[in-house]
Amino acid sequence: MATTDSRPIVELKNINKTFGTVLALRGVSFDVFPGEVHCLLGDNGAGKSTLIKILAGVHTPSSGDYLIDGRPGEIHSPRNALDAGIATVYQDLAMVPLMSITRNFFMGRELVRGWGPFSRFDIARADAIVVKELAQIGIDLRDPAQAVGTLSGGERQCVAIARAVYFGARVLILDEPTSALGVHQAAIVLKYVAQARQRGLGVVFISHNIHHAYAVADRFTLLNRGASKGTFLRANITRDEVLQAMAGGEDMQRIQAEISGIGVVNG
């Protein structure tokens, strides 16, 4: 994990975001350091999607500061974010299932050989790079020309993450990367998240699954109804405490009391 005297790669300070009359985020602060996994947790409607879209350049904040390496950042589009080394891997992965792994890996950033009207995709070089990059994370490709849709869900997640890292990401924003995966496939993704941290990247890990989040997180930020409920070091908060905060402890206790009361009446 990053040392306490290092500087965040990305930092949001007192961010507010409104959509018309709806206040989606209220005074939220969030940062990510090199070599750490910072988990963003919260129930549906907590504001997670809005926050990561601000980080990714999809939305601009209504007020607040966006800092990159301690300096004000000009992030007005996803392209700006990518140029600054901030890459987002969404749940849908932005892949074409029937296209090859190599074509998906280099989509929009194709390697070419030749000049002008005679230029063409350098498939041999691209295939070699894909095989090498995926081998580094433990995926032994039979054929980089195979359709990406033939890979497991965990392997497709790893291809998307490896693509972002190869093209210079310093911060990886992972949107529910294990939500639709089985135990083994989720383990593959979590292993690669840990590898990305070891390589000095900052990882923003968005999840509903506390068990997956707790396995790799260095810090947690909990959102509830557009506001931050705090940021906690993993060493200072237990898995059960995180789960209780996510579930809305007081609300759950009230519901359980009401259910118990109904049971007494019906008995």
Side-chain angles (χ1 to χ4, degrees), residues 126-167:
D127 281 346
I129 289 172
V130 168
V131 170
K132 177 183 176 182
E133 292 297 314
L134 294 186
Q136 289 180 353
I137 61 175
I139 297 178
D140 185 16
L141 284 182
R142 296 182 298 276
D143 181 5
Q146 72 188 81
V148 78
T150 62
L151 299 178
S152 70
E155 289 171 333
R156 287 197 298 272
Q157 281 282 353
C158 288
V159 169
I161 296 170
R163 177 177 63 187
V165 173
Y166 176 77
F167 285 109

Side-chain angles (χ1 to χ4, degrees), residues 1-3 33-37 197 218-219 233:
M1 180 183 169
T3 57
F33 286 83
E36 78 158 351
V37 178
R197 172 176 56 198
D218 297 300
R219 287 192 294 159
L233 288 171

Side-chain angles (χ1 to χ4, degrees), residues 189-210:
V189 175
L190 295 176
K191 178 182 177 182
Y192 191 38
V193 169
Q195 289 179 2
R197 172 176 56 198
Q198 291 173 353
R199 294 170 68 171
L201 277 72
V203 181
V204 180
F205 189 98
I206 298 93
S207 181
H208 282 89
N209 191 316
I210 181 57

Side-chain angles (χ1 to χ4, degrees), residues 1 20 53 56 64 66 79-80 84 86 96 103 193 223 227 234:
M1 180 183 169
K53 286 178 179 177
Y66 191 138
R79 174 57 63 183
N80 290 149
I86 303 164
V96 181
R103 287 283 184 176
V193 169
L223 290 184
R234 177 182 170 181

Side-chain angles (χ1 to χ4, degrees), residues 76-234:
H76 301 301
S77 70
R79 174 57 63 183
N80 290 149
L82 284 171
D83 291 342
I86 303 164
T88 305
V89 178
Y90 293 103
Q91 285 177 280
D92 61 11
L93 301 179
M95 289 188 177
V96 181
L98 295 180
M99 285 176 57
S100 72
I101 298 169
T102 297
R103 287 283 184 176
N104 274 281
F105 194 96
F106 285 97
M107 189 186 302
R109 297 187 178 186
E110 287 79 5
L111 293 173
V112 296
R113 58 185 303 179
W115 177 83
F118 303 103
S119 63
R120 60 194 182 280
F121 185 40
D122 191 346
I123 189 66
R125 182 180 167 208
D127 281 346
I129 289 172
V130 168
V131 170
K132 177 183 176 182
E133 292 297 314
L134 294 186
Q136 289 180 353
I137 61 175
I139 297 178
D140 185 16
L141 284 182
R142 296 182 298 276
D143 181 5
Q146 72 188 81
V148 78
T150 62
L151 299 178
S152 70
E155 289 171 333
R156 287 197 298 272
Q157 281 282 353
C158 288
V159 169
I161 296 170
R163 177 177 63 187
V165 173
Y166 176 77
F167 285 109
R170 300 169 60 211
V171 174
L172 276 175
I173 303 171
L174 306 180
D175 181 20
E176 301 278 1
T178 60
S179 62
L181 303 183
V183 174
H184 177 68
Q185 294 180 12
I188 293 173
V189 175
L190 295 176
K191 178 182 177 182
Y192 191 38
V193 169
Q195 289 179 2
R197 172 176 56 198
Q198 291 173 353
R199 294 170 68 171
L201 277 72
V203 181
V204 180
F205 189 98
I206 298 93
S207 181
H208 282 89
N209 191 316
I210 181 57
H211 303 293
H212 293 168
Y214 206 82
V216 294
D218 297 300
R219 287 192 294 159
F220 301 93
T221 290
L222 307 179
L223 290 184
N224 184 30
R225 298 178 182 178
S228 173
K229 299 183 71 175
T231 296
F232 308 91
L233 288 171
R234 177 182 170 181

